[in-house]
Amino acid sequence: MTRRRQIYEGKAKILYEGPEPGTLIQYFKDDATAFNAQKKGTINGKGVLNNRISEHIFTLLGTIGVPHHFMRRLNMREQLIRQVEIIPIEVVVRNVAAGSISTRLGIEEGTQLPRTIIEYYYKDDALGDPMITDEHIAAFGWASQDEMHDIADMAIRINDFMCGLFAGIGIKLVDFKLEFGRIWDNDYARVILADEISPDGCRLWDMATNEKLDKDRFRRDLGGEVEAYQEVARRLGLLPEGADNVVLDLDAQRKKRGR
């Protein structure tokens, strides 16, 4: 497909003008960032794997009635999506304490939370994506009360489905990030799932060993980033024919890096 006009470039993806009005082409990069882009690097092949993993999960979510922007995968790194008006809120769903919640509240990483927690963050890189409440969202008009009800309902439904999906392949869904957007029908707006769902935005731990199979391997200089992403894809049955013998060997990665 001929490359079209670039609309937007983010930390992990580029959006191009789509072939029809109301569509975009989403390109997955190999760039990796952490700590609000203070740490930068490259994970070779990450974009290809994230494209396949996100396609797979969005397709499955569609079968249980979750509306989303994904239309179809175009090639190894690109997918066709519906153009949406992104709601400037990152939705984080937490099942197990890890990352910032452990730091903020002094909860030991790996602690099972007494219930699933949904947190909201304002999407603004310059501000470091600060945590916000429903009161902030209502006061500044970032989303209506009805939209937030829809977002919370979808987030819980997605979490329930994904917990089961990953548990079935021996992976614990610790937490993950979601983004939502509006699509318009004249004056009526509907909220749908947008962005991506991949190891870039999920914490995924092996259920037997608690080995991290996500971008925390990059954040924490653990090594084995490519192998971790491949392992998630392999367990989901997404690696191409002949590549299903790829096995994650994190011990080898640690030895290579003197860990």
Side-chain angles (χ1 to χ4, degrees), residues 12 24 68 70 83 101 134 139 145 150 156 196-197 201 206-207 209-210 222 230 241 247 259:
L24 295 172
H68 56 69
F70 175 78
Q83 186 170 14
I101 194 170
D134 291 281
Q145 189 173 45
D150 289 344
I156 291 298
E196 65 174 299
I197 297 177
D206 181 90
M207 294 183 84
T209 66
N210 278 340
L222 298 175
Q230 286 177 337
E241 193 68 32
V247 177
R259 293 182 181 275

Side-chain angles (χ1 to χ4, degrees), residues 8-11 36-37 90 122-130:
Y8 170 82
E9 181 168 3
K11 289 174 281 192
N36 197 29
E90 290 185 353
Y122 181 51
K123 277 178 58 66
D124 190 312
D125 288 343
L127 298 176
D129 299 331

Side-chain angles (χ1 to χ4, degrees), residues 226-259:
V226 175
E227 290 84 357
Y229 282 59
Q230 286 177 337
E231 180 71 359
V232 174
R234 184 186 69 80
R235 294 196 197 184
L236 288 169
L238 302 177
L239 284 184
E241 193 68 32
D244 58 358
N245 60 345
V246 176
V247 177
L248 181 64
D249 189 350
L250 297 175
D251 284 335
Q253 289 295 323
R254 279 192 287 270
K255 287 173 185 173
K256 269 200 234 174
R257 298 189 178 219
R259 293 182 181 275

Side-chain angles (χ1 to χ4, degrees), residues 77-148:
R77 289 187 180 271
E78 294 180 328
Q79 52 184 235
L80 185 68
I81 60 173
R82 300 178 72 175
Q83 186 170 14
V84 302
E85 176 189 323
I86 288 290
I87 295 171
I89 299 166
E90 290 185 353
V91 181
V92 175
V93 183
R94 299 186 184 275
N95 300 305
V96 177
S100 65
I101 194 170
S102 293
T103 304
R104 282 186 280 116
L105 303 181
I107 303 172
E108 184 179 357
E109 185 165 277
T111 301
Q112 184 71 40
L113 297 173
R115 53 171 285 179
T116 297
I117 295 174
I118 300 178
E119 297 175 343
Y120 303 116
Y121 295 82
Y122 181 51
K123 277 178 58 66
D124 190 312
D125 288 343
L127 298 176
D129 299 331
M131 190 175 180
I132 55 175
T133 68
D134 291 281
E135 288 295 312
H136 295 106
I137 295 167
F140 296 111
W142 294 323
S144 70
Q145 189 173 45
D146 285 344
E147 287 175 331
M148 291 309 299

Side-chain angles (χ1 to χ4, degrees), residues 151-166:
I151 285 171
D153 287 347
M154 277 192 275
I156 291 298
R157 190 173 188 186
I158 292 166
N159 182 57
D160 288 344
F161 177 82
M162 286 177 52
C163 279
L165 171 68
F166 283 113

